[in-house]
Amino acid sequence: MPQEEPKVWYACYGSNLLKERFNCYIGGGRPANAKRVYPGCTNKTLPEKSKGITINGELYFAKSSKTWSGGGAGFIKSDFDKNIKTLGRMYLITQQQFVDLVQQEIKFEGDFDIDLQHVIKNRSLDMKNNSWYGKIIYLGEDEDSPIFTFTNEDYLKDEINSPHEFYLKIIIDGLKETYQMSEAEIESYLKTKEGIKGFPIEAKLPQLIKN
């Protein structure tokens, strides 16, 4: 029998909170209201399980995403603080699926690989490729499998930008799906985030959450 490929957890905190959106990374396709089609992974087997995870990096929104009509994308600050609690979701996938996922996220063409043991040993890896999500972070283990997430290597304080309603709605639906949160809890969680607080999108939160 062939040896089963090792599994890893991919931990997300943005639009991939919603399983339907995340599955486009695995199986390929275009997420609802997005302007980008994802090729998917070589192995299109969907995750065997997922669960919530709290990440100690602060969520914020920055840059201008062509995929989401020019709105800000979600990032976490990589200077972790145990008092910061960003609500994430993690999916159990194969190592190669995680590598394929990162390759799609950073839009890298050609041969691509990541030394995940190096990431574990050093707690993180800066891929130095000028991509938006070029820093991979090791978050520990769960059920004997390592947990990884990714973000920008820098805190993009000069590029704070509010997310498009379509993108934020997917995050809202992902929070509902993952945590069964009330409308009030979701509003309380999101309204303080950089890119939302003080921007016009803050006033639209209650309606986006209700719909």
PDB file of all heavy atoms in Angstrom, residues 173-204:
ATOM      1  N   ASP A 173     -20.432  35.294   6.843  1.00  0.00           N
ATOM      2  CA  ASP A 173     -21.054  33.975   6.702  1.00  0.00           C
ATOM      3  C   ASP A 173     -20.144  32.872   7.230  1.00  0.00           C
ATOM      4  O   ASP A 173     -20.611  31.870   7.787  1.00  0.00           O
ATOM      5  CB  ASP A 173     -21.405  33.710   5.234  1.00  0.00           C
ATOM      6  CG  ASP A 173     -22.558  34.580   4.741  1.00  0.00           C
ATOM      7  OD1 ASP A 173     -23.262  35.175   5.588  1.00  0.00           O
ATOM      8  OD2 ASP A 173     -22.747  34.676   3.510  1.00  0.00           O
ATOM      9  N   GLY A 174     -18.825  33.056   7.061  1.00  0.00           N
ATOM     10  CA  GLY A 174     -17.870  32.082   7.597  1.00  0.00           C
ATOM     11  C   GLY A 174     -17.864  32.045   9.113  1.00  0.00           C
ATOM     12  O   GLY A 174     -17.735  30.979   9.721  1.00  0.00           O
ATOM     13  N   LEU A 175     -18.001  33.218   9.745  1.00  0.00           N
ATOM     14  CA  LEU A 175     -18.080  33.274  11.206  1.00  0.00           C
ATOM     15  C   LEU A 175     -19.349  32.581  11.696  1.00  0.00           C
ATOM     16  O   LEU A 175     -19.337  31.844  12.686  1.00  0.00           O
ATOM     17  CB  LEU A 175     -18.048  34.729  11.686  1.00  0.00           C
ATOM     18  CG  LEU A 175     -16.706  35.452  11.545  1.00  0.00           C
ATOM     19  CD1 LEU A 175     -16.876  36.947  11.788  1.00  0.00           C
ATOM     20  CD2 LEU A 175     -15.668  34.875  12.515  1.00  0.00           C
ATOM     21  N   LYS A 176     -20.451  32.807  10.994  1.00  0.00           N
ATOM     22  CA  LYS A 176     -21.713  32.142  11.358  1.00  0.00           C
ATOM     23  C   LYS A 176     -21.572  30.631  11.236  1.00  0.00           C
ATOM     24  O   LYS A 176     -22.011  29.877  12.112  1.00  0.00           O
ATOM     25  CB  LYS A 176     -22.850  32.633  10.449  1.00  0.00           C
ATOM     26  CG  LYS A 176     -23.278  34.069  10.675  1.00  0.00           C
ATOM     27  CD  LYS A 176     -24.378  34.458   9.680  1.00  0.00           C
ATOM     28  CE  LYS A 176     -24.824  35.904   9.869  1.00  0.00           C
ATOM     29  NZ  LYS A 176     -25.848  36.301   8.859  1.00  0.00           N
ATOM     30  N   GLU A 177     -20.947  30.195  10.132  1.00  0.00           N
ATOM     31  CA  GLU A 177     -20.806  28.766   9.856  1.00  0.00           C
ATOM     32  C   GLU A 177     -19.871  28.082  10.851  1.00  0.00           C
ATOM     33  O   GLU A 177     -20.130  26.969  11.310  1.00  0.00           O
ATOM     34  CB  GLU A 177     -20.275  28.592   8.433  1.00  0.00           C
ATOM     35  CG  GLU A 177     -20.187  27.165   7.942  1.00  0.00           C
ATOM     36  CD  GLU A 177     -19.716  27.108   6.499  1.00  0.00           C
ATOM     37  OE1 GLU A 177     -18.469  27.116   6.268  1.00  0.00           O
ATOM     38  OE2 GLU A 177     -20.554  27.081   5.587  1.00  0.00           O
ATOM     39  N   THR A 178     -18.774  28.765  11.191  1.00  0.00           N
ATOM     40  CA  THR A 178     -17.745  28.161  12.045  1.00  0.00           C
ATOM     41  C   THR A 178     -18.094  28.238  13.522  1.00  0.00           C
ATOM     42  O   THR A 178     -17.827  27.303  14.282  1.00  0.00           O
ATOM     43  CB  THR A 178     -16.385  28.853  11.810  1.00  0.00           C
ATOM     44  OG1 THR A 178     -16.106  28.896  10.413  1.00  0.00           O
ATOM     45  CG2 THR A 178     -15.260  28.114  12.521  1.00  0.00           C
ATOM     46  N   TYR A 179     -18.692  29.354  13.928  1.00  0.00           N
ATOM     47  CA  TYR A 179     -18.866  29.614  15.360  1.00  0.00           C
ATOM     48  C   TYR A 179     -20.315  29.770  15.813  1.00  0.00           C
ATOM     49  O   TYR A 179     -20.560  29.922  17.011  1.00  0.00           O
ATOM     50  CB  TYR A 179     -18.097  30.889  15.751  1.00  0.00           C
ATOM     51  CG  TYR A 179     -16.602  30.717  15.695  1.00  0.00           C
ATOM     52  CD1 TYR A 179     -15.878  31.129  14.584  1.00  0.00           C
ATOM     53  CD2 TYR A 179     -15.905  30.139  16.756  1.00  0.00           C
ATOM     54  CE1 TYR A 179     -14.503  30.978  14.530  1.00  0.00           C
ATOM     55  CE2 TYR A 179     -14.527  29.976  16.710  1.00  0.00           C
ATOM     56  CZ  TYR A 179     -13.830  30.400  15.592  1.00  0.00           C
ATOM     57  OH  TYR A 179     -12.476  30.246  15.543  1.00  0.00           O
ATOM     58  N   GLN A 180     -21.259  29.769  14.853  1.00  0.00           N
ATOM     59  CA  GLN A 180     -22.669  29.972  15.213  1.00  0.00           C
ATOM     60  C   GLN A 180     -22.843  31.216  16.094  1.00  0.00           C
ATOM     61  O   GLN A 180     -23.562  31.214  17.100  1.00  0.00           O
ATOM     62  CB  GLN A 180     -23.255  28.741  15.933  1.00  0.00           C
ATOM     63  CG  GLN A 180     -23.363  27.489  15.068  1.00  0.00           C
ATOM     64  CD  GLN A 180     -22.026  26.789  14.848  1.00  0.00           C
ATOM     65  OE1 GLN A 180     -21.345  26.439  15.801  1.00  0.00           O
ATOM     66  NE2 GLN A 180     -21.644  26.581  13.603  1.00  0.00           N
ATOM     67  N   MET A 181     -22.169  32.297  15.725  1.00  0.00           N
ATOM     68  CA  MET A 181     -22.222  33.537  16.493  1.00  0.00           C
ATOM     69  C   MET A 181     -23.523  34.287  16.229  1.00  0.00           C
ATOM     70  O   MET A 181     -24.102  34.186  15.147  1.00  0.00           O
ATOM     71  CB  MET A 181     -21.038  34.444  16.109  1.00  0.00           C
ATOM     72  CG  MET A 181     -19.687  33.862  16.470  1.00  0.00           C
ATOM     73  SD  MET A 181     -18.315  34.759  15.669  1.00  0.00           S
ATOM     74  CE  MET A 181     -18.306  36.292  16.601  1.00  0.00           C
ATOM     75  N   SER A 182     -23.946  35.063  17.202  1.00  0.00           N
ATOM     76  CA  SER A 182     -25.126  35.908  17.021  1.00  0.00           C
ATOM     77  C   SER A 182     -24.748  37.132  16.187  1.00  0.00           C
ATOM     78  O   SER A 182     -23.563  37.465  16.019  1.00  0.00           O
ATOM     79  CB  SER A 182     -25.669  36.357  18.372  1.00  0.00           C
ATOM     80  OG  SER A 182     -24.771  37.275  18.984  1.00  0.00           O
ATOM     81  N   GLU A 183     -25.766  37.834  15.688  1.00  0.00           N
ATOM     82  CA  GLU A 183     -25.510  39.043  14.900  1.00  0.00           C
ATOM     83  C   GLU A 183     -24.753  40.076  15.734  1.00  0.00           C
ATOM     84  O   GLU A 183     -23.819  40.722  15.244  1.00  0.00           O
ATOM     85  CB  GLU A 183     -26.834  39.632  14.396  1.00  0.00           C
ATOM     86  CG  GLU A 183     -27.522  38.744  13.367  1.00  0.00           C
ATOM     87  CD  GLU A 183     -28.858  39.305  12.925  1.00  0.00           C
ATOM     88  OE1 GLU A 183     -29.212  40.433  13.326  1.00  0.00           O
ATOM     89  OE2 GLU A 183     -29.554  38.607  12.155  1.00  0.00           O
ATOM     90  N   ALA A 184     -25.131  40.225  16.989  1.00  0.00           N
ATOM     91  CA  ALA A 184     -24.476  41.200  17.868  1.00  0.00           C
ATOM     92  C   ALA A 184     -23.018  40.829  18.107  1.00  0.00           C
ATOM     93  O   ALA A 184     -22.138  41.704  18.152  1.00  0.00           O
ATOM     94  CB  ALA A 184     -25.219  41.304  19.190  1.00  0.00           C
ATOM     95  N   GLU A 185     -22.744  39.542  18.273  1.00  0.00           N
ATOM     96  CA  GLU A 185     -21.364  39.090  18.507  1.00  0.00           C
ATOM     97  C   GLU A 185     -20.479  39.345  17.290  1.00  0.00           C
ATOM     98  O   GLU A 185     -19.329  39.769  17.422  1.00  0.00           O
ATOM     99  CB  GLU A 185     -21.362  37.598  18.855  1.00  0.00           C
ATOM    100  CG  GLU A 185     -21.888  37.284  20.244  1.00  0.00           C
ATOM    101  CD  GLU A 185     -22.069  35.788  20.471  1.00  0.00           C
ATOM    102  OE1 GLU A 185     -22.292  35.043  19.484  1.00  0.00           O
ATOM    103  OE2 GLU A 185     -22.008  35.372  21.645  1.00  0.00           O
ATOM    104  N   ILE A 186     -21.029  39.108  16.097  1.00  0.00           N
ATOM    105  CA  ILE A 186     -20.253  39.338  14.877  1.00  0.00           C
ATOM    106  C   ILE A 186     -19.970  40.821  14.704  1.00  0.00           C
ATOM    107  O   ILE A 186     -18.843  41.222  14.382  1.00  0.00           O
ATOM    108  CB  ILE A 186     -20.993  38.775  13.649  1.00  0.00           C
ATOM    109  CG1 ILE A 186     -21.075  37.248  13.736  1.00  0.00           C
ATOM    110  CG2 ILE A 186     -20.281  39.184  12.351  1.00  0.00           C
ATOM    111  CD1 ILE A 186     -21.910  36.602  12.651  1.00  0.00           C
ATOM    112  N   GLU A 187     -20.960  41.656  14.945  1.00  0.00           N
ATOM    113  CA  GLU A 187     -20.757  43.100  14.813  1.00  0.00           C
ATOM    114  C   GLU A 187     -19.709  43.593  15.808  1.00  0.00           C
ATOM    115  O   GLU A 187     -18.823  44.370  15.456  1.00  0.00           O
ATOM    116  CB  GLU A 187     -22.068  43.857  15.033  1.00  0.00           C
ATOM    117  CG  GLU A 187     -21.899  45.357  14.823  1.00  0.00           C
ATOM    118  CD  GLU A 187     -23.191  46.142  14.964  1.00  0.00           C
ATOM    119  OE1 GLU A 187     -24.248  45.522  15.195  1.00  0.00           O
ATOM    120  OE2 GLU A 187     -23.131  47.376  14.854  1.00  0.00           O
ATOM    121  N   SER A 188     -19.796  43.125  17.027  1.00  0.00           N
ATOM    122  CA  SER A 188     -18.838  43.522  18.060  1.00  0.00           C
ATOM    123  C   SER A 188     -17.413  43.099  17.672  1.00  0.00           C
ATOM    124  O   SER A 188     -16.454  43.834  17.900  1.00  0.00           O
ATOM    125  CB  SER A 188     -19.235  42.902  19.400  1.00  0.00           C
ATOM    126  OG  SER A 188     -18.287  43.197  20.389  1.00  0.00           O
ATOM    127  N   TYR A 189     -17.285  41.912  17.073  1.00  0.00           N
ATOM    128  CA  TYR A 189     -15.983  41.390  16.680  1.00  0.00           C
ATOM    129  C   TYR A 189     -15.375  42.199  15.539  1.00  0.00           C
ATOM    130  O   TYR A 189     -14.187  42.540  15.557  1.00  0.00           O
ATOM    131  CB  TYR A 189     -16.123  39.921  16.274  1.00  0.00           C
ATOM    132  CG  TYR A 189     -14.878  39.309  15.675  1.00  0.00           C
ATOM    133  CD1 TYR A 189     -13.749  39.073  16.454  1.00  0.00           C
ATOM    134  CD2 TYR A 189     -14.826  38.973  14.320  1.00  0.00           C
ATOM    135  CE1 TYR A 189     -12.597  38.519  15.904  1.00  0.00           C
ATOM    136  CE2 TYR A 189     -13.690  38.416  13.761  1.00  0.00           C
ATOM    137  CZ  TYR A 189     -12.573  38.191  14.557  1.00  0.00           C
ATOM    138  OH  TYR A 189     -11.438  37.652  14.004  1.00  0.00           O
ATOM    139  N   LEU A 190     -16.176  42.538  14.521  1.00  0.00           N
ATOM    140  CA  LEU A 190     -15.642  43.151  13.307  1.00  0.00           C
ATOM    141  C   LEU A 190     -15.501  44.669  13.373  1.00  0.00           C
ATOM    142  O   LEU A 190     -14.608  45.240  12.745  1.00  0.00           O
ATOM    143  CB  LEU A 190     -16.519  42.779  12.103  1.00  0.00           C
ATOM    144  CG  LEU A 190     -16.446  41.321  11.641  1.00  0.00           C
ATOM    145  CD1 LEU A 190     -17.489  41.067  10.550  1.00  0.00           C
ATOM    146  CD2 LEU A 190     -15.054  40.963  11.127  1.00  0.00           C
ATOM    147  N   LYS A 191     -16.352  45.332  14.120  1.00  0.00           N
ATOM    148  CA  LYS A 191     -16.403  46.800  14.022  1.00  0.00           C
ATOM    149  C   LYS A 191     -15.157  47.500  14.567  1.00  0.00           C
ATOM    150  O   LYS A 191     -14.917  48.666  14.248  1.00  0.00           O
ATOM    151  CB  LYS A 191     -17.647  47.339  14.728  1.00  0.00           C
ATOM    152  CG  LYS A 191     -17.628  47.226  16.240  1.00  0.00           C
ATOM    153  CD  LYS A 191     -18.918  47.787  16.830  1.00  0.00           C
ATOM    154  CE  LYS A 191     -18.906  47.737  18.356  1.00  0.00           C
ATOM    155  NZ  LYS A 191     -20.178  48.265  18.912  1.00  0.00           N
ATOM    156  N   THR A 192     -14.345  46.786  15.339  1.00  0.00           N
ATOM    157  CA  THR A 192     -13.131  47.397  15.891  1.00  0.00           C
ATOM    158  C   THR A 192     -11.898  47.188  15.001  1.00  0.00           C
ATOM    159  O   THR A 192     -10.827  47.725  15.297  1.00  0.00           O
ATOM    160  CB  THR A 192     -12.822  46.814  17.279  1.00  0.00           C
ATOM    161  OG1 THR A 192     -12.623  45.399  17.153  1.00  0.00           O
ATOM    162  CG2 THR A 192     -13.971  47.065  18.257  1.00  0.00           C
ATOM    163  N   LYS A 193     -12.048  46.410  13.935  1.00  0.00           N
ATOM    164  CA  LYS A 193     -10.883  46.061  13.117  1.00  0.00           C
ATOM    165  C   LYS A 193     -10.437  47.236  12.245  1.00  0.00           C
ATOM    166  O   LYS A 193     -11.254  47.964  11.688  1.00  0.00           O
ATOM    167  CB  LYS A 193     -11.186  44.856  12.222  1.00  0.00           C
ATOM    168  CG  LYS A 193     -11.720  43.622  12.948  1.00  0.00           C
ATOM    169  CD  LYS A 193     -10.820  43.150  14.046  1.00  0.00           C
ATOM    170  CE  LYS A 193     -11.386  41.921  14.745  1.00  0.00           C
ATOM    171  NZ  LYS A 193     -10.757  41.668  16.040  1.00  0.00           N
ATOM    172  N   GLU A 194      -9.119  47.377  12.094  1.00  0.00           N
ATOM    173  CA  GLU A 194      -8.581  48.390  11.188  1.00  0.00           C
ATOM    174  C   GLU A 194      -9.029  48.087   9.764  1.00  0.00           C
ATOM    175  O   GLU A 194      -8.903  46.964   9.291  1.00  0.00           O
ATOM    176  CB  GLU A 194      -7.054  48.400  11.251  1.00  0.00           C
ATOM    177  CG  GLU A 194      -6.475  49.140  12.438  1.00  0.00           C
ATOM    178  CD  GLU A 194      -4.970  49.219  12.331  1.00  0.00           C
ATOM    179  OE1 GLU A 194      -4.312  48.228  12.679  1.00  0.00           O
ATOM    180  OE2 GLU A 194      -4.450  50.261  11.898  1.00  0.00           O
ATOM    181  N   GLY A 195      -9.535  49.114   9.090  1.00  0.00           N
ATOM    182  CA  GLY A 195     -10.100  48.921   7.761  1.00  0.00           C
ATOM    183  C   GLY A 195     -11.618  48.916   7.808  1.00  0.00           C
ATOM    184  O   GLY A 195     -12.272  49.090   6.778  1.00  0.00           O
ATOM    185  N   ILE A 196     -12.169  48.705   8.998  1.00  0.00           N
ATOM    186  CA  ILE A 196     -13.627  48.780   9.199  1.00  0.00           C
ATOM    187  C   ILE A 196     -13.968  49.954  10.109  1.00  0.00           C
ATOM    188  O   ILE A 196     -14.788  50.793   9.765  1.00  0.00           O
ATOM    189  CB  ILE A 196     -14.179  47.455   9.769  1.00  0.00           C
ATOM    190  CG1 ILE A 196     -14.010  46.322   8.747  1.00  0.00           C
ATOM    191  CG2 ILE A 196     -15.644  47.621  10.172  1.00  0.00           C
ATOM    192  CD1 ILE A 196     -14.493  44.976   9.213  1.00  0.00           C
ATOM    193  N   LYS A 197     -13.317  50.017  11.257  1.00  0.00           N
ATOM    194  CA  LYS A 197     -13.578  51.094  12.213  1.00  0.00           C
ATOM    195  C   LYS A 197     -13.294  52.468  11.583  1.00  0.00           C
ATOM    196  O   LYS A 197     -12.197  52.708  11.072  1.00  0.00           O
ATOM    197  CB  LYS A 197     -12.719  50.911  13.459  1.00  0.00           C
ATOM    198  CG  LYS A 197     -12.963  51.945  14.565  1.00  0.00           C
ATOM    199  CD  LYS A 197     -12.111  51.635  15.773  1.00  0.00           C
ATOM    200  CE  LYS A 197     -12.242  52.712  16.832  1.00  0.00           C
ATOM    201  NZ  LYS A 197     -13.609  52.818  17.375  1.00  0.00           N
ATOM    202  N   GLY A 198     -14.286  53.334  11.586  1.00  0.00           N
ATOM    203  CA  GLY A 198     -14.109  54.677  11.047  1.00  0.00           C
ATOM    204  C   GLY A 198     -14.294  54.792   9.547  1.00  0.00           C
ATOM    205  O   GLY A 198     -14.246  55.894   9.003  1.00  0.00           O
ATOM    206  N   PHE A 199     -14.521  53.669   8.862  1.00  0.00           N
ATOM    207  CA  PHE A 199     -14.782  53.676   7.422  1.00  0.00           C
ATOM    208  C   PHE A 199     -16.288  53.538   7.177  1.00  0.00           C
ATOM    209  O   PHE A 199     -17.005  53.026   8.037  1.00  0.00           O
ATOM    210  CB  PHE A 199     -14.044  52.520   6.735  1.00  0.00           C
ATOM    211  CG  PHE A 199     -12.557  52.726   6.587  1.00  0.00           C
ATOM    212  CD1 PHE A 199     -11.691  52.486   7.650  1.00  0.00           C
ATOM    213  CD2 PHE A 199     -12.021  53.151   5.377  1.00  0.00           C
ATOM    214  CE1 PHE A 199     -10.318  52.669   7.510  1.00  0.00           C
ATOM    215  CE2 PHE A 199     -10.647  53.340   5.223  1.00  0.00           C
ATOM    216  CZ  PHE A 199      -9.803  53.099   6.292  1.00  0.00           C
ATOM    217  N   PRO A 200     -16.793  53.964   6.012  1.00  0.00           N
ATOM    218  CA  PRO A 200     -18.230  53.841   5.725  1.00  0.00           C
ATOM    219  C   PRO A 200     -18.779  52.423   5.892  1.00  0.00           C
ATOM    220  O   PRO A 200     -19.948  52.246   6.248  1.00  0.00           O
ATOM    221  CB  PRO A 200     -18.324  54.305   4.261  1.00  0.00           C
ATOM    222  CG  PRO A 200     -17.181  55.256   4.090  1.00  0.00           C
ATOM    223  CD  PRO A 200     -16.086  54.689   4.939  1.00  0.00           C
ATOM    224  N   ILE A 201     -17.930  51.416   5.658  1.00  0.00           N
ATOM    225  CA  ILE A 201     -18.384  50.024   5.774  1.00  0.00           C
ATOM    226  C   ILE A 201     -18.844  49.702   7.197  1.00  0.00           C
ATOM    227  O   ILE A 201     -19.691  48.827   7.395  1.00  0.00           O
ATOM    228  CB  ILE A 201     -17.257  49.050   5.331  1.00  0.00           C
ATOM    229  CG1 ILE A 201     -17.795  47.636   5.092  1.00  0.00           C
ATOM    230  CG2 ILE A 201     -16.122  48.996   6.336  1.00  0.00           C
ATOM    231  CD1 ILE A 201     -18.493  47.436   3.792  1.00  0.00           C
ATOM    232  N   GLU A 202     -18.333  50.425   8.196  1.00  0.00           N
ATOM    233  CA  GLU A 202     -18.728  50.154   9.585  1.00  0.00           C
ATOM    234  C   GLU A 202     -20.235  50.333   9.768  1.00  0.00           C
ATOM    235  O   GLU A 202     -20.891  49.533  10.439  1.00  0.00           O
ATOM    236  CB  GLU A 202     -17.966  51.071  10.550  1.00  0.00           C
ATOM    237  CG  GLU A 202     -18.273  50.783  12.014  1.00  0.00           C
ATOM    238  CD  GLU A 202     -17.571  51.741  12.967  1.00  0.00           C
ATOM    239  OE1 GLU A 202     -16.796  52.603  12.514  1.00  0.00           O
ATOM    240  OE2 GLU A 202     -17.813  51.620  14.197  1.00  0.00           O
ATOM    241  N   ALA A 203     -20.791  51.368   9.153  1.00  0.00           N
ATOM    242  CA  ALA A 203     -22.230  51.643   9.284  1.00  0.00           C
ATOM    243  C   ALA A 203     -23.074  50.593   8.569  1.00  0.00           C
ATOM    244  O   ALA A 203     -24.254  50.416   8.893  1.00  0.00           O
ATOM    245  CB  ALA A 203     -22.547  53.028   8.734  1.00  0.00           C
ATOM    246  N   LYS A 204     -22.462  49.896   7.592  1.00  0.00           N
ATOM    247  CA  LYS A 204     -23.201  48.887   6.834  1.00  0.00           C
ATOM    248  C   LYS A 204     -23.168  47.509   7.503  1.00  0.00           C
ATOM    249  O   LYS A 204     -23.853  46.575   7.047  1.00  0.00           O
ATOM    250  CB  LYS A 204     -22.633  48.772   5.412  1.00  0.00           C
ATOM    251  CG  LYS A 204     -22.789  50.055   4.607  1.00  0.00           C
ATOM    252  CD  LYS A 204     -22.187  49.889   3.216  1.00  0.00           C
ATOM    253  CE  LYS A 204     -22.336  51.174   2.396  1.00  0.00           C
ATOM    254  NZ  LYS A 204     -21.720  51.033   1.052  1.00  0.00           N
TER     255      LYS A 204
END
